[in-house]
Amino acid sequence: MVCAVNKHLDARLLDPAGADELVRALQRRGFSVIAPAIEDDIVVLREYGPADTLPRGYSDTQDGGSYRLTRTGDDRLFAYAAAPQGFKRVLWPPRQTLYESRRTADRLEILPVTEEPKKLALFAARACEIDAIAILDGVFDNGDFADPGYWARRRDAFVVLVECGRSGDTCFCASMGTGPAREAGFDIALTEIFGNGPHRLLARAGSERGAEVLAEIAGRPATAGDADDRNRMLAEVAAAQARRMPADVAAILAANPEHARWNAVAERCLTCGNCTMVCPTCFCSTTEDSSSLDMSTATRARRWDSCFTIDYSYIHGGAVRASARSRYRQWISHKLSTWHEQFGRAGCVGCGRCITWCPVGIDIVEEANAIAASSA
Amino acid sequence: MAARKPKLAVWKFSSCDGCQLNLLDCEDELLAIADSIEIAEFLEATRAQVRGPYDVSLVEGSISNDHDAERLRKIRKQSKLVIAIGACATGGGIQALRNGRDVDEFVRTVYAHPEFIDTLATSTPITDHIPVDFELRGCPVSKYQLLEVVSALLAGRQPRVPRHSECLECKMRGTVCVMVARGQPCLGPVTQAGCGNLCPSVERGCYGCFGPKESPNTASLADRFLATGSQRRRVREMFQSFNAAAPAFAKEAERHEPR
Ligand code: SF4
Ligand code: SF4
Ligand code: SF4
Ligand code: SF4
């Protein structure tokens, strides 16, 4: 059955087993499905293999600098918060070869590395994650230049949204306006309803191909009551978030470059770069050259970099941001303030990863609120 | 390329030879360039010795007696480039644990004939005695970084040896953070990357083999260890290992000495 484009948002109800069926339906269509799995006591994203099933009954407790996987004792599919590593590493891998060159007897040959288009399915991306991908889309295609590697992976990517039935302990998407509900940017959206009537998945198609795939999965039409259950649940999830970013944070940070709080946070910040690495929108990279010992070949590669490294701001004569104070200020100002000038919106989607995965638990929301509270 | 082959010498001071062995472990790769460099001095590999001057001297080990300090200055004079390799040469090595302690007592306890022992009270990095052109960190150095530095020198380009934290290696590789997910202390946030993520990738905290990263905030990290249940003595010992004489680590260890 092919739905009309304007009809594809009709909701259906699936049994919980429908989630794995959906993965397999995507695989049958030739997609490599990148889905959550449990590895080393953590939720990871990896290609769903022939013997895999989606994890059930897992949740997590998170705090600044702390993450523990927990068991729920039931068979909920999506009770854990966003996976520690987002889909950024799938679409924008940590290392990419840009080109190779080879020296022959009489000349230098440049061997470009072209990436074949990939058919990836990003399964169980949360609302904040899809918003982050929308940000990366703008970064890697600014109208003048589109990054070929990124788009080779991104262009055909099939996106399955999962709306959160529980907020992670460090999440603040509600105050960033990025979640937990989402109405666009996906091919299929799933909302798990648990503990209120039968355990079920509310499924909506967000594209024609999404509707086609959904039609292959056993299910039944959703009712207005199911839609109400979803809305109520998502409102509760949003209300449960303890962290809130101040609404006018962009202006507040811009007005306070010399605030005393920068010194206080610099005392604690390790300039380790973990926050930027786990951030789903941090896109900075550097290029590195290497050559073979016999100097017959050379490679130019791109790898993730961070504004927390000293080499990041190295220019002739030294590093512009030598102190931890200036590096922390750069990070949070870019995410929450200067990003608006560059890309017309905030660069933070409120996923909370930078808080959880900071080894000393520095909290971007706490820092922003502290500066707002005693703003110049 | 220059017609004359670059002359490479490898020198050893107080050390375990582990770094030189890593160089030997590169034999397949080095064979490929045996024609393009001349090994002038490398006692682990060959008895042949060629007189200086040298284009590149790789120096392993720390300085723990006067005679070595003098030998090192001669090597510097005869070498265009000096590269300090390994934690002993760049951070004093494990033997720097004696710094600030009663060395005479150690000598009396350990040796049957203490009168034969001629040693300084400290073990200090090569970099305390002569200017060096490059430091290659690690206990031992990484084979890949060693090859990288040699190929960069031959090609006349910058070596790709970043000074950032080990944490970046974790995140790029996809290793789960042992501090955050397991509550284990880890020196990665203050340690220079380069080992290839050896310890965190097998669920162990970083031991700091590669010495302090650029601008290491050891105090904040140590405070976090204490706040999450590490004993003060244990925190001190973490900073007193392979790079005990690296200033940032020595200073942090000192902060946790019993008073
Ligand atoms: S800044 Fe922090 S909370 Fe915001 S998107 Fe990045 S990792 Fe998530
Ligand atoms: S916060 Fe730093 S690493 Fe992240 S995008 Fe901005 S400059 Fe790059
Ligand atoms: S804020 Fe935390 S994660 Fe980010 S660089 Fe500082 S210590 Fe590392
Ligand atoms: S395991 Fe250690 S090195 Fe790796 S990210 Fe965590 S603190 Fe950093």
Side-chain angles (χ1 to χ4, degrees):
Chain A
M1 182 187 77
V2 179
C3 293
V5 179
N6 58 354
K7 291 269 312 266
H8 62 228
L9 283 166
D10 283 353
R12 287 164 61 77
L13 280 187
L14 315 181
D15 289 334
D20 285 287
E21 271 183 55
L22 180 52
V23 172
R24 285 189 285 268
L26 289 167
Q27 288 179 324
R28 279 196 301 275
R29 286 168 177 254
F31 286 100
S32 306
V33 181
I34 312 297
I38 305 296
E39 248 177 40
D40 301 339
D41 304 323
I42 208 158
V43 181
V44 297
L45 298 172
R46 65 158 195 232
E47 180 159 4
Y48 186 101
D52 281 349
T53 51
L54 293 167
R56 286 177 178 233
Y58 287 95
S59 186
D60 48 50
T61 54
Q62 301 190 36
D63 198 355
S66 168
Y67 175 101
R68 295 291 182 278
L69 197 66
T70 57
R71 299 307 304 253
T72 60
D74 53 43
D75 62 352
R76 266 179 292 172
L77 283 157
F78 304 115
Y80 49 85
Q85 293 172 334
F87 288 101
K88 175 174 87 172
R89 70 181 296 117
V90 177
L91 296 172
W92 178 241
R95 279 198 178 77
Q96 301 166 54
T97 302
L98 297 178
Y99 66 80
E100 286 169 346
S101 57
R102 193 165 42 210
R103 193 203 298 268
T104 60
D106 55 346
R107 65 197 183 96
L108 192 67
E109 261 184 324
I110 303 286
L111 313 166
V113 175
T114 42
E115 300 220 28
E116 296 304 317
K118 288 204 173 57
K119 267 186 98 174
L120 296 170
L122 313 180
F123 193 87
R126 305 305 171 105
C128 60
E129 190 75 16
I130 293 180
D131 205 52
I133 293 171
I135 290 179
L136 292 183
D137 288 352
V139 169
F140 293 119
D141 184 358
N142 66 358
D144 293 333
F145 176 74
D147 185 84
Y150 178 85
W151 287 103
R153 294 176 288 269
R154 171 71 179 110
R155 192 162 322 272
D156 290 329
F158 191 104
V159 179
V160 178
L161 161 71
V162 164
E163 290 180 316
C164 295
R166 177 189 150 261
S167 261
D169 306 311
T170 54
C171 296
F172 57 99
C173 64
S175 63
M176 298 308 295
T178 59
R182 195 168 169 100
E183 307 302 335
F186 53 80
D187 293 288
I188 291 177
L190 298 176
T191 314
E192 182 174 33
I193 301 176
F194 183 86
N196 179 11
H199 183 189
R200 61 206 191 277
L201 299 170
L202 183 73
R204 294 171 293 147
S207 68
E208 200 159 348
R209 62 177 182 165
E212 279 173 31
V213 176
L214 207 48
E216 290 173 18
I217 316 294
R220 53 197 182 278
T223 64
D226 297 314
D228 288 346
D229 286 346
R230 166 189 173 240
N231 293 341
R232 210 171 18 249
M233 181 186 89
L234 293 173
E236 280 167 21
V237 169
Q241 292 182 359
R243 287 178 171 78
R244 268 162 222 286
M245 187 60 78
D248 44 355
V249 64
I252 291 168
L253 293 183
N256 286 281
E258 300 302 329
H259 199 283
R261 185 77 187 191
W262 300 125
N263 298 332
V265 72
E267 292 273 303
R268 296 172 61 211
C269 178
L270 307 166
T271 63
C272 63
N274 274 305
C275 45
T276 56
M277 296 284 120
V278 296
C279 179
T281 70
C282 272
F283 56 81
C284 285
S285 65
T286 186
T287 41
E288 290 180 332
D289 292 330
S290 51
S291 50
S292 63
L293 270 173
D294 62 2
M295 287 191 282
S296 61
T297 59
T299 304
R300 171 156 288 190
R302 181 162 54 188
R303 71 151 169 84
W304 286 0
D305 199 4
S306 162
C307 53
F308 278 99
T309 72
I310 196 159
D311 291 331
Y312 178 90
S313 71
Y314 187 88
I315 56 167
H316 174 76
V320 175
R321 295 188 204 100
S323 67
R325 176 181 187 269
S326 58
R327 291 185 230 171
Y328 187 84
R329 187 177 55 192
Q330 155 65 24
W331 137 257
I332 184 172
S333 301
H334 192 209
K335 300 267 85 162
L336 298 171
S337 185
T338 55
W339 205 287
H340 285 271
E341 288 152 44
Q342 198 178 3
F343 299 110
R345 54 163 300 171
C348 169
V349 299
C351 71
R353 287 187 179 98
C354 57
I355 304 171
T356 300
W357 297 97
C358 170
V360 292
I362 293 173
D363 180 339
I364 188 171
V365 183
E366 187 184 335
E367 296 309 311
N369 276 300
I371 290 174
S374 54
S375 172
Chain B
M1 238 172 93
R4 187 181 64 80
K5 295 187 207 173
K7 240 197 261 179
L8 176 84
V10 185
W11 309 97
K12 172 188 156 58
F13 292 87
S14 291
S15 62
C16 74
D17 281 24
C19 292
Q20 293 196 48
L21 287 176
N22 253 7
L23 187 58
L24 273 185
D25 193 29
C26 304
E27 61 187 334
D28 289 346
E29 292 87 346
L30 288 176
L31 271 181
I33 54 159
D35 292 342
S36 48
I37 57 173
E38 179 183 7
I39 308 268
E41 165 95 30
F42 185 6
L43 283 181
E44 281 278 1
T46 166
R47 282 210 212 136
Q49 284 170 281
V50 181
R51 291 166 63 92
Y54 310 101
D55 292 286
V56 182
S57 278
L58 302 179
V59 181
E60 173 198 89
S62 70
I63 300 302
S64 56
N65 62 54
D66 280 330
H67 166 249
D68 275 356
E70 183 48 35
R71 187 161 66 97
L72 179 63
R73 282 189 288 273
K74 280 197 185 129
I75 291 170
R76 173 72 269 189
K77 279 201 193 114
Q78 295 190 61
S79 310
K80 267 196 216 154
L81 290 175
V82 174
I83 302 177
I85 62 167
C88 300
T90 60
I94 198 99
Q95 59 274 26
L97 282 175
R98 73 175 188 231
N99 298 0
R101 303 273 194 289
D102 185 348
V103 172
D104 289 338
E105 196 203 318
F106 292 161
V107 170
R108 281 195 304 275
T109 315
V110 173
Y111 295 99
H113 290 282
E115 64 276 16
F116 293 152
I117 303 298
D118 169 22
T119 183
L120 291 168
T122 54
S123 158
T124 43
I126 295 304
T127 44
D128 279 11
H129 298 265
I130 56 163
V132 302
D133 300 282
F134 201 78
E135 279 191 9
L136 207 51
R137 303 285 194 78
C139 183
V141 290
S142 127
K143 172 178 165 175
Y144 302 100
Q145 287 202 335
L146 201 51
L147 288 172
E148 164 60 17
V149 168
V150 174
S151 25
L153 286 174
L154 291 173
R157 64 173 171 84
Q158 265 214 334
R160 187 167 37 86
V161 178
R163 297 174 290 167
H164 58 228
S165 72
E166 177 54 21
C167 300
L168 260 60
E169 281 204 282
C170 281
K171 290 298 180 282
M172 282 191 259
R173 187 181 162 127
T175 300
V176 174
C177 176
V178 303
M179 269 193 82
V180 171
R182 298 181 194 281
Q184 286 177 25
C186 174
L187 284 181
V190 295
T191 299
Q192 181 167 305
C195 63
N197 203 223
L198 290 179
C199 294
S201 65
V202 292
E203 298 174 21
R204 299 297 296 261
C206 165
Y207 291 93
C209 308
F210 275 57
K213 81 184 249 296
E214 52 82 16
S215 57
N217 189 346
T218 53
S220 170
L221 186 65
D223 287 349
R224 180 77 179 181
F225 294 161
L226 293 170
T228 49
S230 293
Q231 298 299 311
R232 193 169 281 282
R233 194 180 71 116
R234 171 86 189 98
V235 173
R236 186 185 74 228
E237 287 168 356
M238 286 183 75
F239 288 97
Q240 285 179 325
S241 63
F242 320 101
N243 289 281
F249 285 4
K251 191 168 144 234
E252 192 54 39
E254 162 70 22
R255 209 163 69 89
H256 305 282
E257 287 289 349
R259 324 208 169 265

